[in-house]
Amino acid sequence: MNTYMRLPVTFVKGKGMWLWDDQGKRYLDALSGIAVCSLGHCHPKLVKAVSEQAGTLIHTSNLYHIDKQEKLANKLALLSGLNKTFFCNSGAEANEAAIKLARRYGHNKGIDLPTIIVMEQSFHGRTMATLTASGNRKVQAGFEPLLTGFSRVPFNDLEAISQVAAHNRNVVAILVEPYQGEGGVNVPQVNYLKELRQICDENGWLLMLDEVQCGIGRSGKWFAFQHSGIVPDVMTLAKGLGSGIPIGACLARDMAAEVFKPGNHASTFGGNPLACTAAITTLDVIEEENLMCNAMEQGDFMRKAFQTQMVNVEGVTQIRGQGLMIGIELSKPCGNLVKDALKQRLLINVVLDKVVRLLPSLVIKRREAKQIVNIVSTLIKKFYEYKS
Ligand SMILES: *Cc1c(COP(=O)(O)O)cnc(C)c1O
């Protein structure tokens, strides 16, 4: 169906940071399939592990034990401190699970019509519950009636949450992205998650973090919450988890981990041996190749280099991000930069009409980082008709 405005290019091969189109032209990929290909394209260890697993066992069913799923869950528990995982196949499904978990948590406490606090400019997916939770009218328009049970506040506004706490006795959880992705690569104040944790503790609410985009090493740590010294009750993952093999996960700890009982929630495909093998290998390679450290270093380098290159470009409103989530906000709509970059054989993305977003894979090297900074800076200068 006509759901995407596609760019005029077809890729047929990939390796590391690079893609080749059907004419044999090579492109530098600064988007990695929207934060999906953590290890770059076709990392040899991933290709080997997935190929071997495909030749051994692809799918059984969650009606049986799945050794690779248990191994992955144990690994995620070790890395995150969230000891239980429900596996699914996408970010929307992971958030759908979190929303259902929060509602059932409310019902268990005698709250029949539970409310979840969500943020402006947030993005949680395209299913009915997750588009309702998203703070973007564009993803909701035309799909009414939306769900009830959500209360919206501005991102990075603790006072607004205290107001809701004082007036709404049905609140059961806060759902928030530690760093907003689709909403323009927004970074909250340093103590934001810590304060949210405290508000949740005081009120008996679940703190639920959507790390679908910022998780799995991209922020410079395994999970974005690890920059803040807190642990959430629930966390959702997807995009970068399987390096391109579809897998999503909703993790929980303690009380929150005990909410679902057999029959409450399910997924036919979720956590099958093939997808779990891709995720286990992704995590192993991130560890072996020290890719979180690389994400931090290259991300910091790129933001600084952009600052330097564009110091005199008045239209550049802000350069922000964390690790390999990079946003360059311009003063006016700049969607055409995506096509201009494509002509220079560079893949980038623009969100909210005027934020250039870069999400390169975690294997990016300094040489490629410099190349991206140079091409993007030149394009933005040209966009504002500065001579470079
Ligand atoms: C992409 C994204 C989703 C939705 O993931 P899908 O796999 O497309 O369903 C949810 N939350 C965040 C933060 C995302 O970036």
Side-chain angles (χ1 to χ4, degrees):
M1 291 189 194
N2 191 22
T3 53
Y4 277 85
M5 287 268 287
R6 293 180 200 274
L7 290 157
V9 64
T10 304
F11 297 111
V12 294
K13 197 178 96 173
K15 189 164 192 281
M17 289 287 296
W18 300 88
L19 283 168
W20 283 261
D21 72 8
D22 53 3
Q23 314 291 309
K25 286 190 231 152
R26 190 176 83 142
Y27 297 76
L28 182 51
D29 185 1
L31 194 60
S32 37
I34 317 186
V36 167
C37 304
S38 305
L39 307 180
H41 297 285
C42 299
H43 190 290
K45 284 185 184 152
L46 182 72
V47 172
K48 183 166 182 281
V50 169
S51 307
E52 281 177 8
Q53 186 61 48
T56 307
L57 184 64
I58 296 173
H59 177 83
T60 51
S61 162
N62 284 304
L63 294 172
Y64 316 107
H65 287 273
I66 300 173
D67 63 344
K68 291 288 168 7
Q69 186 184 115
E70 288 167 20
K71 190 175 168 198
L72 175 58
N74 287 335
K75 177 102 189 170
L76 288 170
L78 199 71
L79 299 178
S80 69
L82 285 86
N83 58 312
K84 297 280 176 186
T85 299
F86 171 82
F87 288 103
C88 51
N89 317 283
S90 68
E93 275 178 82
N95 287 325
E96 192 78 29
I99 291 164
K100 285 181 70 175
L101 189 157
R103 285 186 165 196
R104 204 171 166 84
Y105 167 79
H107 283 260
N108 290 345
K109 290 206 296 183
I111 299 175
D112 292 335
L113 296 171
T115 294
I116 299 170
I117 295 178
V118 291
M119 305 299 153
E120 289 174 7
Q121 265 104 52
S122 62
F123 182 75
H124 300 296
R126 300 288 195 149
T127 62
M128 282 311 304
T130 57
L131 75 83
T132 301
S134 296
N136 180 344
R137 269 306 292 163
K138 274 192 193 162
V139 311
Q140 298 172 340
F143 298 109
E144 295 83 1
L146 303 181
L147 273 64
T148 54
F150 294 95
S151 177
R152 196 171 306 285
V153 299
F155 184 59
N156 200 19
D157 184 342
L158 295 162
E159 180 52 37
I161 292 174
S162 302
Q163 296 275 334
V164 177
H167 295 106
N168 189 335
R169 290 161 162 266
N170 288 333
V171 175
V172 293
I174 299 176
L175 174 62
V176 59
E177 296 155 85
Y179 303 101
Q180 288 186 329
E182 305 303 307
V185 193
N186 302 317
V187 178
Q189 64 198 78
V190 191
N191 62 345
Y192 186 55
L193 288 189
K194 221 172 200 155
E195 300 278 342
L196 290 184
R197 178 71 272 175
Q198 196 175 341
I199 294 171
C200 284
D201 289 342
E202 284 166 9
N203 292 281
W205 303 344
L206 300 177
L207 179 58
M208 310 203 295
L209 301 183
D210 179 345
E211 297 226 12
V212 167
Q213 187 161 148
C214 61
I216 316 294
R218 181 160 292 279
S219 75
K221 293 196 186 280
W222 281 115
F223 308 106
F225 74 78
Q226 291 169 332
H227 293 278
S228 69
I230 60 115
V231 184
D233 301 295
V234 175
M235 171 173 66
T236 56
L237 299 172
K239 291 198 166 88
L241 179 57
S243 288
I245 305 293
I247 181 166
C250 175
L251 288 72
R253 69 179 169 100
D254 302 329
M255 285 179 314
E258 305 304 320
V259 170
F260 285 146
K261 301 279 185 272
N264 289 156
H265 198 45
S267 168
T268 297
F269 293 128
N272 81 20
L274 188 72
C276 289
T277 297
I280 292 165
T281 310
T282 301
L283 299 175
D284 285 349
V285 173
I286 289 174
E287 213 156 41
E288 284 162 25
E289 300 187 4
N290 206 10
L291 295 182
M292 286 180 287
C293 189
N294 188 57
M296 187 88 100
E297 280 176 20
Q298 306 299 351
D300 285 346
F301 165 79
M302 288 173 79
R303 272 181 297 277
K304 269 200 203 111
F306 277 124
Q307 297 283 6
T308 311
Q309 291 245 16
M310 294 196 283
V311 66
N312 291 320
V313 186
E314 251 167 53
V316 176
T317 315
Q318 201 183 28
I319 296 163
R320 55 180 180 253
Q322 171 69 38
L324 288 174
M325 282 178 88
I326 299 168
I328 305 168
E329 183 166 348
L330 304 187
S331 59
K332 57 182 186 186
C334 62
N336 275 338
L337 284 176
V338 174
K339 280 183 195 155
D340 297 343
L342 189 68
K343 282 183 197 140
Q344 307 282 320
R345 302 199 190 159
L346 173 70
L347 307 186
I348 64 166
N349 177 239
V350 169
V351 283
L352 286 194
D353 291 335
K354 50 185 192 176
V355 183
V356 176
R357 176 175 59 162
L358 306 176
L359 298 163
S361 91
L362 277 50
V363 300
I364 187 172
K365 296 201 175 64
R366 183 56 54 94
R367 176 168 32 87
E368 294 148 347
K370 280 183 181 168
Q371 222 168 324
I372 292 168
V373 170
N374 286 338
I375 299 172
V376 172
S377 300
T378 306
L379 286 172
I380 292 175
K381 284 177 196 166
K382 252 198 207 142
F383 181 69
Y384 285 106
E385 292 173 338
Y386 274 72
K387 302 275 172 282
S388 50

